[in-house]
Structure formats: structure tokens, C-alpha cells
Amino acid sequence: MSQSFEVNRRGLFAIAAASAAAVQFGGVGNAAAQTANGAPAGSAPTKFAALKEIKAGLLNVQYAEDGPQDGPPVVLLHGWPYDIYSYVEVAPILAAAGYRVIVPYFRGYGGTRFLSDKTPRNGQQAALAKDIIDLMDALKIDKAVVAGYDWGARTADIVAALWPERVKALVSVSGYLIGSQEINKKPLPPKAELAWWYQFYFTTDRGEAGYKANRHDFNKLIWELASPKWKFSDEVYDRSAASFENPDHVAIVIHNYRWRLDLAKGETKYDAIEKKLAKLPPIEVPAITMEGDANGAPHPEPSAYAAKFKAKYEHRNLTGGVGHNLPQEAPAEFAKAVIDVDHF
């Protein structure tokens, strides 16, 4: 089924939603007077509390955490070229509703670092998904609601499809994004190919050098194209752009897009995972998919993926100019989807 929502994307509505969530779901008291990040009522939070780090698998993962330690866990996954601040307004809403919220930087972003210089700087989809399983193991999280958009949605989809015992429920912006190198070899209609211009740019030496030299302005352009009606400030963009200074960022991004087109090899240890993903496995946990009415990035139509969700499922269309970075542009509605799907 599909629903549409007219959203007010900024802080007053988000804080009101936090208060309502706290009352309805028994969350942290006094949510109306103060957000979980210490911002007074009537203003949106602009930063997380001190970030944490933990060794998990191949990485030392930097992450934000909010909410009670004994609350039901929620893992929120960011996209490219974005970072954990996509969830700076979502996290306190969920924390006020009693959830333990984990928001990690992916490999190649923020303060997340490889434990070994010898580890390949691999951006393939299986590696990113295994990173999240390793993080959940390190944090001793057996099962969580997992939610994301862009790279984060694909990763959340993979975790839900291949490790369903670890996922209580799923929220995925733009739906089912699992792919394979074989599928990605197939040409698309001209307009769709045009929308992937940056992927083709990244296949060239010029593109790699250009991204390395100009990543700040390059990624700001992607923000503008992907969310044409979102009037973000320089301050908001620069807050996230700092995460692109990670020493592995360029290598991870370039490898991610080259791997998709079978122009870069993955690691053999992920072959078994990729073979499963190539079969486009169904998702058999409760799920909500979401889409904004002003998403300027390439994305499938909801009708193209609805059949991949086999458990209780709902799709939500957000109106009012919501673009690709849906959780940051419509934080109250994204948080509501997480809470709702947890109660499916």
C-alpha cells in the first residue's frame, strides 16, 4: 500500500514529533523542553554528542550514539556523498521514544579507519554490509531495526536479505537497491545513463584525479542535483564535507563505482555473498520503503521493487519537495517510519 505525506522539513516539526513520540512510546521524559542533543525546544539539533569508536572487523568505526543503552537498537546508515549528519535530527526523535540509536561512519568517511594499511580499500556492496554485521557484533547487538538511504539503503537491504535473523525491521529509501556486476553491464535508456554521469566520470583517471582535487565542490554539486528543492546552508554542507577528508575516502568511492561496472575487482572473500546477491534475494523482514517527490538522483519506481518485500510492507511517498537525502530533509517522517515499522 502507498501513502503520501505533506511534510514540514525543519526543526519545529521534528521537535514536536520527538515530544509526541516520547509520550506515545514511553521514551525519555522532558522531550518537549530539550532534545537529546541538548538543544532547547524550538531549535533543531546541529551536532551529536561526543562520538565513540570501536574496533569491529577490519575497521575502527567512529559512530554517534543516542538514547538509552538498554533501549531497542536502531542502526542508521548514511549515503554518498553524505555522512552521519543526515541523522542529526532523526536520532533525538528516536532517542526520545526510547531507542538506542547507532549512526556509524562507513569505511572511507569521518573518523572510521582501517586497522591495517594492507587491507584493500574496497567499496563493493558486500564489504560495506559485512562491516555493519561486524559493528553489530562488536556492540553486542543481536537484532536491530536497520534504516538507510543511498549507499545506506543498499547496505540495509543486503543485511536484511542475507542476515534476516539480525534485522527486526527495515526502512529503505528508494526501496530495493541490491544489484550485481552482471546486471550493471546492461545499458539503460539514454536519460537514465545521463543521470549516472558521475559513475562514468569515476571510471577514468581524470575522474579519480578530479574527485580527489575537487571533492568539496563536487559533492556539493551532487547535493544540489540530488535534492534540487532543498535549500541547505553552507554551514550544513561543510559540517558533512569534513567527513570526506578521510584518507581512504577517494579510494573507497572510486572503487565502489568501478566495481559496479566490473572495472575493478572485488575481494574473493566476498564472492559467496556476491553470488547470493546476484540472485536478487527477497527481503523477508517487515519493511517500509520511502521516496521523496523531488529526488533528483537515479532511483527506481516503487512498483519495480514492491514484490521483493515478502513480509508486512508499506511504501510511503513524501511530498513538499523532499529530495534524495530524505532523513535530513524530512527527519520527522523518517523517524516516524522507523517507529512504525518496529511495531509492524
Side-chain angles (χ1 to χ4, degrees):
M1 60 186 298
S2 177
Q3 297 180 350
S4 294
F5 298 84
E6 191 73 36
V7 296
N8 178 336
R9 302 198 298 275
R10 303 321 314 151
L12 285 173
F13 186 41
I15 300 303
S19 303
V23 172
Q24 183 176 357
F25 298 103
V28 178
N30 201 30
Q34 188 175 28
T35 73
N37 288 288
S43 66
T46 60
K47 62 181 181 179
F48 291 105
L51 300 180
K52 299 181 178 182
E53 296 183 1
I54 191 168
K55 291 182 180 179
L58 301 173
L59 304 171
N60 187 61
V61 178
Q62 187 177 55
Y63 65 100
E65 184 169 359
D66 204 347
Q69 282 285 311
D70 60 351
V74 174
V75 179
L76 304 177
L77 303 176
H78 68 81
W80 172 85
Y82 307 94
D83 79 333
I84 64 174
Y85 283 97
S86 293
Y87 297 105
V88 72
E89 294 180 48
V90 173
I93 300 174
L94 297 175
Y99 290 93
R100 179 190 181 191
V101 186
I102 306 294
V103 193
Y105 280 112
F106 276 134
R107 53 171 65 191
Y109 294 79
T112 292
R113 297 290 189 273
F114 286 91
L115 296 176
S116 171
D117 292 338
K118 296 180 180 179
T119 303
R121 273 35 180 178
N122 178 356
Q124 75 182 100
Q125 60 180 358
L128 296 175
K130 185 59 168 58
D131 287 347
I132 300 307
I133 294 297
D134 290 341
L135 176 62
M136 292 174 65
D137 288 345
L139 292 171
K140 295 179 170 52
I141 295 174
D142 292 330
K143 181 175 283 193
V145 176
V146 182
Y149 70 101
D150 194 85
W151 286 20
R154 178 176 296 107
T155 303
D157 288 346
I158 293 170
V159 173
L162 298 189
W163 292 275
E165 72 280 1
R166 307 299 299 272
V167 179
K168 183 178 182 183
L170 169 73
V171 175
S172 179
V173 177
S174 298
Y176 188 93
L177 297 180
I178 297 172
S180 72
Q181 291 177 321
E182 194 62 34
I183 290 172
N184 289 335
K185 290 178 182 178
K186 298 178 181 178
L188 300 171
K191 286 186 178 180
E193 295 282 27
L194 178 62
W196 284 107
W197 65 271
Y198 54 86
Q199 178 171 253
F200 302 119
Y201 181 64
F202 288 157
T203 66
T204 67
D205 291 340
R206 178 188 180 94
E208 182 175 3
Y211 188 63
K212 183 176 182 179
N214 303 305
R215 78 192 80 163
H216 181 280
D217 292 347
F218 188 102
N219 289 343
K220 189 173 185 179
L221 174 63
I222 296 295
W223 278 38
E224 293 167 347
L225 296 175
S227 299
K229 296 186 178 181
W230 181 31
K231 306 304 179 184
F232 57 87
S233 67
D234 288 343
E235 181 181 14
V236 165
Y237 175 72
D238 289 342
R239 182 182 61 189
S240 289
S243 74
F244 312 145
E245 296 306 312
N246 181 297
D248 300 310
H249 178 76
V250 173
I252 293 297
V253 171
I254 296 300
H255 185 267
N256 178 285
Y257 286 102
R258 289 182 179 179
W259 178 87
R260 295 188 198 189
L261 297 179
D262 200 17
L263 299 176
K265 298 300 182 183
E267 293 178 79
T268 56
K269 66 180 180 179
Y270 298 115
D271 286 353
I273 296 176
E274 294 296 351
K275 286 180 182 178
K276 293 178 181 178
L277 297 177
K279 297 178 181 179
L280 303 182
I283 292 174
E284 298 181 340
V285 303
I288 291 176
T289 59
M290 307 182 77
E291 193 60 80
D293 65 340
N295 185 358
H299 61 279
E301 290 296 321
S303 60
Y305 54 71
K308 302 302 294 186
F309 296 91
K310 303 300 185 181
K312 186 173 181 180
Y313 169 71
E314 181 180 311
H315 178 75
R316 297 181 176 182
N317 292 312
L318 302 191
T319 62
V322 178
H324 189 62
N325 185 2
L326 190 150
Q328 194 164 358
E329 297 176 59
E333 292 301 338
F334 190 89
K336 185 176 187 301
V338 171
I339 295 168
D340 288 349
V341 80
D342 183 40
H343 292 83
F344 269 13

